[in-house]
Amino acid sequence: HMDMYRLSERELQAFPLEEYFETGICIIEWADRLRFRWPQDTLELHLDKIKEGRRLRMVKPSSYWRRKLAAMA
């Protein structure tokens, strides 16, 4: 889990983000601040506040992730 909210532009540029992609699943808060460095097959998830609590939403999953998720169903 990484939180990019408090990092300055300089810190964001220097952060070794790609090294974490090789080790497993990365959950990144405020990931839009690093969108230009996301891998091609990123699975973008949004956690939205709703009246009843929270809702997890996928944003345009790639064909790679659609296949992976279908296999898990």
Side-chain angles (χ1 to χ4, degrees):
H1 168 256
M2 298 171 237
D3 188 340
M4 300 296 147
Y5 180 72
R6 299 191 195 292
L7 297 182
S8 68
E9 277 300 317
R10 185 181 209 179
E11 291 168 320
L12 286 170
Q13 295 292 331
F15 190 81
L17 185 65
E18 290 76 8
E19 291 176 21
Y20 289 92
F21 296 151
E22 298 170 8
T23 61
I25 296 173
C26 297
I27 298 174
I28 307 172
E29 291 185 68
W30 296 90
D32 56 318
R33 300 190 70 209
L34 294 165
R35 188 176 295 272
F36 63 97
R37 292 173 60 189
W38 289 6
Q40 182 177 356
D41 284 320
T42 294
L43 178 60
E44 184 177 353
L45 302 172
H46 289 212
L47 189 57
D48 301 320
K49 286 184 182 181
I50 59 174
K51 205 180 243 187
E52 300 80 22
R54 295 187 180 122
R55 174 184 62 192
L56 183 64
R57 175 171 57 91
M58 282 186 284
V59 178
K60 299 179 189 170
S62 67
S63 59
Y64 169 82
W65 279 107
R66 286 194 299 277
R67 284 191 309 274
K68 284 282 201 188
L69 294 167
M72 288 188 257

